[in-house]
Amino acid sequence: MILNILFFYLAAVTIISALFVVIKRNAVHSAIALLVTFVHVAGIFLLLNSEFLAAVQILVYAGAILVLIIFVIMYLNVTQRYRMFNRLKLIAFFVGVVLFAEVLYIITRTALKGQKGEFPIAKVMEMGNTEAIGKVLFTDYLFPFEIASLILLVAMIGAIVLAKKEI
Amino acid sequence: MIPLHYYLILAAMLFMIGMTGFLVRRNFLTVLMSIELMLNAVNINFVAFAHYMDSMTGRIYVFFIMTVAAAEAAIGLAILISAYRNTKTTFVDEMNSLKG
């Protein structure tokens, strides 16, 4: 019962603050609304027994990406008086509503059954969420993990080269 | 126990808000934020399926999506800064110097 109330609170705040991200004129207000969205998505991860991912969500999204975005907002000094939407707005709104209706139809009509994995909730709770993720990450997904570090290296070099004044 | 459908519908709503924002906004910064919203919706889907299917794979995928999101935000903002230096604008429909 309390979990249901918690889920509906988290879902409602996530959706409303996501709407504010899109409809706010001031970019700083959008960024603050985005922060609220990230924190509540982390709460949804907690409801789904993923404590490690909730921590990483707050660290990486709210801590790194959002600070970077706000830093660029301050750096660029965006003007406040401008047209918010381009001329696609009616078409895009229509496409969004139709696509959402389609996805809703598919979700509610499908049984969503599948083969069960090897990590039931009781086992994960016994061994700890972080340990379970680490065990899978460093055995089955070791190669993608190394590739991810390479992606971060390339992104770092690329960002430095792109933002430099003269190459 | 909350049904799996609720999480999927929440993720679908979040994704559609992000997609509409990506299509309609003129400010490059808000477009980047809309991309982050869409990636978050996908993350919710992955974690929900991983939870209900007793699997760890979905959670690992979320980990990699966060890596790619961080790289994408850094590169996107670097592109914005270098484009602003040349065109003095942050509006995507005014950056049209490559149009023939």
Side-chain angles (χ1 to χ4, degrees):
Chain A
M1 189 60 208
I2 186 102
L3 282 183
N4 276 349
I5 295 169
L6 203 58
F7 172 78
F8 283 113
Y9 160 73
L10 290 169
V13 177
T14 304
I15 295 297
I16 290 169
S17 57
L19 272 176
F20 272 126
V21 172
V22 175
I23 63 174
K24 275 288 179 188
R25 183 178 296 270
N26 192 337
V28 179
H29 294 174
S30 287
I32 302 290
L34 195 65
L35 174 67
V36 176
T37 313
F38 286 159
V39 171
H40 284 79
V41 169
I44 288 170
F45 287 174
L46 279 181
L47 273 185
L48 289 166
N49 270 329
S50 308
E51 295 87 4
F52 178 72
L53 284 179
V56 171
Q57 165 94 4
I58 291 189
L59 278 177
V60 172
Y61 273 112
I65 294 178
L66 205 68
V67 169
L68 203 62
I69 288 176
I70 291 178
F71 198 73
V72 173
I73 292 171
M74 302 295 174
Y75 179 72
L76 290 184
N77 188 20
V78 185
T79 170
Q80 293 305 319
R81 283 199 302 267
Y82 62 95
R83 215 158 32 86
M84 274 169 74
F85 304 119
N86 58 20
R87 58 197 161 77
L88 277 176
K89 63 183 170 199
L90 280 177
I91 305 170
F93 182 73
F94 180 72
V95 168
V97 170
V98 168
L99 215 55
F100 175 67
E102 270 182 41
V103 172
L104 201 65
Y105 180 77
I106 293 168
I107 287 172
T108 49
R109 281 307 191 86
T110 318
L112 297 171
K113 284 201 178 75
Q115 199 180 358
K116 294 274 182 183
E118 303 164 347
F119 288 91
I121 301 166
K123 190 179 166 192
V124 173
M125 279 187 143
E126 189 203 330
M127 73 195 294
N129 190 266
T130 312
E131 194 185 334
I133 283 190
K135 212 163 246 177
V136 180
L137 190 61
F138 289 112
T139 53
D140 297 344
Y141 293 90
L142 184 62
F143 188 60
F145 182 70
E146 298 293 335
I147 301 265
S149 65
L150 213 61
I151 286 176
L152 285 178
L153 177 70
V154 170
M156 191 177 75
I157 296 172
I160 292 170
V161 170
L162 277 172
K164 223 167 136 64
K165 213 158 227 167
E166 67 266 352
I167 298 164
Chain B
M1 194 72 174
I2 304 144
L4 174 57
H5 294 97
Y6 288 13
Y7 289 103
L8 299 187
I9 291 167
L10 166 68
M13 286 170 86
L14 201 56
F15 190 89
M16 292 311 158
I17 291 170
M19 192 197 73
T20 313
F22 178 82
L23 288 175
V24 300
R25 288 301 300 252
R26 289 177 71 233
N27 196 345
F28 195 98
L29 287 157
T30 324
V31 170
L32 276 179
M33 292 184 213
S34 303
I35 296 175
E36 302 299 334
L37 281 183
M38 285 195 278
L39 288 168
N40 260 292
V42 175
N43 283 355
I44 292 176
N45 258 357
F46 265 122
V47 177
F49 271 114
H51 177 70
Y52 282 92
M53 300 293 172
D54 296 339
S55 170
M56 262 305 151
T57 312
R59 294 177 179 135
I60 305 283
Y61 271 51
V62 171
F63 194 75
F64 290 133
I65 288 173
M66 281 175 182
T67 315
V68 173
E72 170 259 323
I75 295 281
L77 291 169
I79 289 174
L80 172 62
I81 287 177
S82 90
Y84 184 80
R85 211 169 266 145
N86 291 321
T87 62
K88 296 287 171 232
T89 179
T90 58
F91 299 130
V92 279
D93 52 356
E94 287 170 13
M95 297 177 188
N96 52 7
S97 54
L98 279 182
K99 208 187 252 177

Coordinates of all heavy atoms in Angstrom, one line a residue, chain A residues 59-100:
Chain A
L59 N 24.7 10.5 -8.8 CA 26.1 10.9 -9.0 C 26.4 11.4 -10.4 O 26.9 12.5 -10.6 CB 27.1 9.8 -8.7 CG 27.4 9.5 -7.3 CD1 28.3 8.3 -7.2 CD2 28.1 10.7 -6.7
V60 N 26.0 10.6 -11.4 CA 26.4 10.9 -12.8 C 25.4 12.0 -13.4 O 25.9 13.0 -13.9 CB 26.4 9.6 -13.6 CG1 26.6 10.0 -15.1 CG2 27.4 8.7 -13.2
Y61 N 24.1 11.8 -13.3 CA 23.2 12.7 -13.9 C 23.1 14.0 -13.2 O 23.4 15.1 -13.7 CB 21.8 12.1 -14.0 CG 21.6 11.2 -15.3 CD1 21.5 9.9 -15.2 CD2 21.6 11.8 -16.5 CE1 21.3 9.1 -16.3 CE2 21.4 11.1 -17.7 CZ 21.3 9.7 -17.6 OH 21.1 9.0 -18.7
A62 N 22.7 13.9 -11.9 CA 22.5 15.2 -11.1 C 23.9 15.8 -10.8 O 24.0 17.0 -10.7 CB 21.7 14.9 -9.9
G63 N 24.9 15.0 -10.6 CA 26.2 15.5 -10.2 C 27.1 16.0 -11.3 O 27.7 17.0 -11.2
A64 N 27.1 15.2 -12.4 CA 28.0 15.6 -13.5 C 27.4 16.3 -14.7 O 27.7 17.4 -15.1 CB 28.8 14.3 -14.0
I65 N 26.4 15.6 -15.3 CA 25.8 16.1 -16.5 C 25.1 17.4 -16.3 O 25.2 18.4 -17.0 CB 24.8 15.1 -17.1 CG1 25.6 13.8 -17.5 CG2 24.1 15.6 -18.3 CD1 24.8 12.7 -18.1
L66 N 24.3 17.5 -15.2 CA 23.5 18.7 -15.0 C 24.4 19.9 -14.6 O 24.2 21.0 -15.1 CB 22.5 18.5 -13.8 CG 21.3 19.4 -14.0 CD1 20.5 19.0 -15.2 CD2 20.5 19.3 -12.8
V67 N 25.5 19.6 -13.9 CA 26.4 20.7 -13.5 C 27.1 21.2 -14.8 O 27.3 22.5 -15.0 CB 27.5 20.2 -12.5 CG1 28.6 21.2 -12.4 CG2 26.8 20.0 -11.2
L68 N 27.4 20.3 -15.7 CA 28.0 20.7 -17.0 C 27.0 21.6 -17.8 O 27.4 22.6 -18.3 CB 28.3 19.4 -17.8 CG 29.4 19.5 -18.9 CD1 30.7 19.9 -18.2 CD2 29.5 18.2 -19.6
I69 N 25.7 21.2 -17.8 CA 24.7 22.0 -18.6 C 24.6 23.4 -18.0 O 24.6 24.4 -18.7 CB 23.4 21.2 -18.6 CG1 23.5 20.0 -19.5 CG2 22.3 22.1 -19.1 CD1 22.3 19.1 -19.5
I70 N 24.5 23.4 -16.6 CA 24.3 24.7 -16.0 C 25.5 25.6 -16.2 O 25.4 26.8 -16.4 CB 24.0 24.5 -14.5 CG1 22.6 23.9 -14.3 CG2 24.1 25.8 -13.7 CD1 22.3 23.6 -12.9
F71 N 26.7 25.0 -16.2 CA 27.9 25.7 -16.5 C 27.9 26.3 -17.8 O 28.3 27.5 -18.0 CB 29.1 24.7 -16.3 CG 30.4 25.4 -16.1 CD1 30.7 26.0 -14.9 CD2 31.4 25.4 -17.1 CE1 32.0 26.6 -14.7 CE2 32.6 26.0 -16.9 CZ 32.9 26.6 -15.7
V72 N 27.5 25.6 -18.8 CA 27.4 26.1 -20.2 C 26.3 27.2 -20.3 O 26.5 28.2 -21.0 CB 27.2 25.0 -21.2 CG1 26.9 25.5 -22.6 CG2 28.4 24.1 -21.2
I73 N 25.2 27.1 -19.6 CA 24.2 28.1 -19.6 C 24.8 29.4 -19.0 O 24.6 30.5 -19.6 CB 23.0 27.7 -18.7 CG1 22.2 26.5 -19.3 CG2 22.0 28.9 -18.5 CD1 21.2 26.0 -18.4
M74 N 25.5 29.4 -17.9 CA 26.2 30.6 -17.4 C 27.2 31.1 -18.4 O 27.3 32.3 -18.6 CB 26.9 30.2 -16.1 CG 26.0 29.6 -15.0 SD 24.8 30.8 -14.5 CE 23.9 29.7 -13.4
Y75 N 27.9 30.3 -19.1 CA 29.0 30.7 -20.0 C 28.4 31.4 -21.2 O 29.0 32.4 -21.7 CB 29.8 29.5 -20.4 CG 30.9 29.7 -21.3 CD1 32.0 30.4 -20.9 CD2 30.8 29.3 -22.6 CE1 33.1 30.6 -21.7 CE2 31.9 29.5 -23.5 CZ 33.0 30.1 -23.0 OH 34.0 30.3 -23.9
L76 N 27.3 30.9 -21.7 CA 26.8 31.4 -23.0 C 25.9 32.6 -22.8 O 25.6 33.4 -23.7 CB 26.0 30.3 -23.7 CG 26.9 29.2 -24.3 CD1 26.1 28.3 -25.1 CD2 28.0 29.8 -25.2
N77 N 25.3 32.8 -21.6 CA 24.4 34.0 -21.4 C 23.3 34.1 -22.4 O 23.2 35.0 -23.2 CB 25.2 35.3 -21.3 CG 24.4 36.4 -20.9 OD1 23.4 36.2 -20.3 ND2 24.8 37.6 -21.2
V78 N 22.4 33.1 -22.4 CA 21.3 33.0 -23.4 C 20.3 34.1 -23.1 O 19.9 34.4 -22.0 CB 20.6 31.6 -23.3 CG1 19.6 31.4 -24.4 CG2 21.6 30.5 -23.3
T79 N 19.8 34.7 -24.2 CA 18.8 35.8 -24.1 C 17.5 35.2 -23.6 O 17.2 34.1 -23.8 CB 18.7 36.5 -25.5 OG1 17.5 37.3 -25.4 CG2 18.4 35.5 -26.6
Q80 N 16.7 36.1 -23.0 CA 15.4 35.6 -22.4 C 14.2 35.8 -23.4 O 13.2 35.1 -23.3 CB 15.1 36.4 -21.1 CG 16.1 36.0 -20.0 CD 16.1 34.6 -19.7 OE1 15.1 33.9 -19.7 NE2 17.3 34.0 -19.6
R81 N 14.3 36.8 -24.3 CA 13.2 37.1 -25.2 C 13.4 36.4 -26.5 O 14.2 36.8 -27.3 CB 13.1 38.6 -25.4 CG 12.4 39.3 -24.2 CD 11.9 40.7 -24.6 NE 13.0 41.5 -25.2 CZ 13.7 42.3 -24.5 NH1 13.4 42.5 -23.2 NH2 14.6 43.0 -25.1
Y82 N 12.7 35.3 -26.7 CA 12.9 34.6 -28.0 C 11.6 33.8 -28.2 O 10.9 33.5 -27.3 CB 14.1 33.8 -28.0 CG 14.2 32.7 -27.0 CD1 13.8 31.4 -27.4 CD2 14.7 32.9 -25.7 CE1 13.9 30.4 -26.4 CE2 14.8 31.9 -24.8 CZ 14.4 30.7 -25.2 OH 14.4 29.6 -24.2
R83 N 11.5 33.3 -29.4 CA 10.4 32.4 -29.8 C 10.8 31.0 -29.2 O 11.9 30.5 -29.5 CB 10.3 32.3 -31.3 CG 8.9 32.2 -31.8 CD 8.7 32.7 -33.3 NE 9.9 32.5 -34.1 CZ 10.2 31.4 -34.7 NH1 9.4 30.4 -34.7 NH2 11.3 31.4 -35.5
M84 N 9.9 30.4 -28.4 CA 10.3 29.1 -27.8 C 10.3 28.0 -28.8 O 11.2 27.1 -28.8 CB 9.4 28.8 -26.6 CG 9.8 29.5 -25.3 SD 8.5 29.3 -24.2 CE 8.6 27.6 -23.7
F85 N 9.3 27.9 -29.6 CA 9.1 26.7 -30.4 C 9.3 27.0 -31.8 O 9.0 28.1 -32.3 CB 7.6 26.2 -30.2 CG 7.3 25.9 -28.8 CD1 6.3 26.5 -28.1 CD2 8.0 25.0 -28.0 CE1 5.9 26.3 -26.8 CE2 7.7 24.7 -26.7 CZ 6.7 25.4 -26.1
N86 N 9.7 26.0 -32.6 CA 9.9 26.2 -34.0 C 8.6 25.9 -34.7 O 7.6 25.5 -34.1 CB 11.0 25.4 -34.6 CG 10.9 24.0 -34.3 OD1 9.8 23.5 -34.1 ND2 12.0 23.2 -34.4
R87 N 8.5 25.9 -36.0 CA 7.3 25.7 -36.8 C 6.8 24.3 -36.8 O 5.7 24.0 -37.3 CB 7.4 26.3 -38.2 CG 8.4 25.7 -39.0 CD 8.8 26.6 -40.2 NE 10.1 26.3 -40.7 CZ 10.3 25.2 -41.5 NH1 9.3 24.4 -41.8 NH2 11.5 24.9 -42.0
L88 N 7.6 23.4 -36.2 CA 7.1 22.0 -36.2 C 6.2 21.7 -35.1 O 5.7 20.5 -35.0 CB 8.3 21.1 -36.0 CG 9.2 20.7 -37.2 CD1 10.3 19.8 -36.8 CD2 8.3 19.9 -38.2
K89 N 5.8 22.7 -34.2 CA 5.2 22.3 -32.9 C 3.9 21.6 -33.0 O 3.7 20.6 -32.3 CB 5.1 23.6 -32.1 CG 4.1 24.6 -32.6 CD 4.1 25.8 -31.7 CE 3.4 26.9 -32.3 NZ 3.7 28.2 -31.7
L90 N 3.0 21.9 -33.9 CA 1.7 21.2 -34.0 C 1.9 19.8 -34.5 O 1.4 18.9 -33.9 CB 0.8 22.0 -35.0 CG 0.1 23.2 -34.4 CD1 -0.8 23.9 -35.4 CD2 -0.8 22.7 -33.2
I91 N 2.8 19.6 -35.6 CA 3.0 18.3 -36.1 C 3.7 17.4 -35.0 O 3.3 16.3 -34.8 CB 3.9 18.4 -37.3 CG1 3.3 19.3 -38.4 CG2 4.2 17.0 -37.9 CD1 4.3 19.6 -39.5
A92 N 4.7 18.0 -34.3 CA 5.4 17.2 -33.3 C 4.5 16.8 -32.1 O 4.5 15.7 -31.7 CB 6.6 18.0 -32.8
F93 N 3.6 17.7 -31.7 CA 2.6 17.4 -30.7 C 1.7 16.3 -31.1 O 1.5 15.3 -30.4 CB 1.8 18.6 -30.3 CG 0.8 18.4 -29.2 CD1 1.3 18.3 -27.9 CD2 -0.5 18.3 -29.5 CE1 0.4 18.1 -26.9 CE2 -1.4 18.1 -28.4 CZ -1.0 18.0 -27.2
F94 N 1.2 16.4 -32.4 CA 0.4 15.3 -32.9 C 1.1 14.0 -33.0 O 0.5 12.9 -32.5 CB -0.1 15.7 -34.3 CG -1.0 14.8 -35.0 CD1 -2.3 14.6 -34.5 CD2 -0.6 14.0 -36.0 CE1 -3.2 13.7 -35.1 CE2 -1.4 13.1 -36.6 CZ -2.7 13.0 -36.2
V95 N 2.3 14.0 -33.5 CA 3.1 12.7 -33.6 C 3.3 12.1 -32.2 O 3.2 10.9 -32.0 CB 4.4 13.0 -34.3 CG1 5.4 11.8 -34.2 CG2 4.2 13.3 -35.8
G96 N 3.6 13.0 -31.2 CA 3.9 12.5 -29.9 C 2.6 11.8 -29.3 O 2.7 10.7 -28.7
V97 N 1.5 12.5 -29.4 CA 0.3 11.9 -28.9 C -0.1 10.6 -29.6 O -0.4 9.6 -28.9 CB -0.9 12.9 -29.0 CG1 -2.2 12.2 -28.7 CG2 -0.7 14.1 -28.1
V98 N 0.0 10.5 -30.9 CA -0.3 9.3 -31.6 C 0.7 8.2 -31.3 O 0.2 7.0 -31.0 CB -0.3 9.6 -33.2 CG1 -0.3 8.3 -33.9 CG2 -1.4 10.5 -33.5
L99 N 2.0 8.5 -31.2 CA 3.0 7.5 -30.8 C 2.7 6.9 -29.4 O 2.8 5.7 -29.2 CB 4.3 8.1 -31.0 CG 5.4 7.2 -31.5 CD1 5.1 6.6 -32.8 CD2 6.7 8.0 -31.7
F100 N 2.4 7.9 -28.5 CA 2.1 7.4 -27.1 C 0.9 6.5 -27.1 O 0.9 5.5 -26.4 CB 1.9 8.6 -26.2 CG 1.5 8.2 -24.8 CD1 2.4 7.6 -24.0 CD2 0.2 8.5 -24.4 CE1 2.0 7.2 -22.8 CE2 -0.1 8.2 -23.1 CZ 0.8 7.5 -22.3

